[in-house]
Amino acid sequence: MPGPDVAGRWPEDADAAAPRRDWRDTLRNASDLALVGILAAIGSLGVVTAGGAVATASAAVHDWIETDSWPGLRPTLRRFARALLPGAAATLALLATAALLAVNLLALHRGVVPGGSPLVVLTVVLAVACAGLAGLTLVEVGRRDGRDWLAAARAAALTARAHPGLLIATAGVAALVAVLGVMILPAVIPILGGYALLALHAVVRRAERRHPGRPD
């Protein structure tokens, strides 16, 4: 997916007068996004460092969208260092939520707890909502220089409440990435990270054009 031009305009904008991109620019952008995904995956190897790594990657993608250039190595390392501790807390919260939903689904499937199909459907709906909210939060964190997860989560929740369709769209991006991750070779999975972040930012930006006004 091509990025914006230096004025922050995207290809789908009706009034955009950006020059046509050369194929080498497209290839370079694709390579850069793949590298972002790979670096985020390497930074996530410590598990608790995953939150800081993806927050830093999201901030880098946001910079590229806004300025058509990537942040330098030193600013990126500083971002990552600042994001480690808050990101660890966010990672643990996400893992706990995922584990709770998985255990609930397993218990319902085995009939250990009552509820049957209605509760299974409800749990799946909650899982989809959580995935969408996580995607929105990650975009908001990127816009906040990779920091302030609580403020980002609050803004994401307000956005989801005002625009439920956007919540479904970001959940759809997460589902698509999961399906692609299952279909391709494991060694290629990290490359998806940069493209997934770009897709999340693009979905949110498009929704904001249609419905101006973003909660802070």
Side-chain angles (χ1 to χ4, degrees), residues 90-111:
T91 300
L92 293 175
L94 180 61
L95 290 175
T97 302
L100 181 62
L101 290 170
V103 168
N104 191 39
L105 276 175
L106 184 61
L108 288 169
H109 177 70
R110 293 183 174 180

Side-chain angles (χ1 to χ4, degrees), residues 103-157:
V103 168
N104 191 39
L105 276 175
L106 184 61
L108 288 169
H109 177 70
R110 293 183 174 180
V112 176
V113 295
S117 298
L119 277 185
V120 170
V121 173
L122 178 60
T123 304
V124 170
V125 170
L126 286 175
V128 170
C130 287
L133 188 61
L136 285 173
T137 301
L138 191 52
V139 172
E140 292 293 341
V141 166
R143 290 171 163 178
R144 288 169 166 77
D145 200 34
R147 294 180 284 181
D148 209 346
W149 284 89
L150 286 178
R154 285 194 294 267

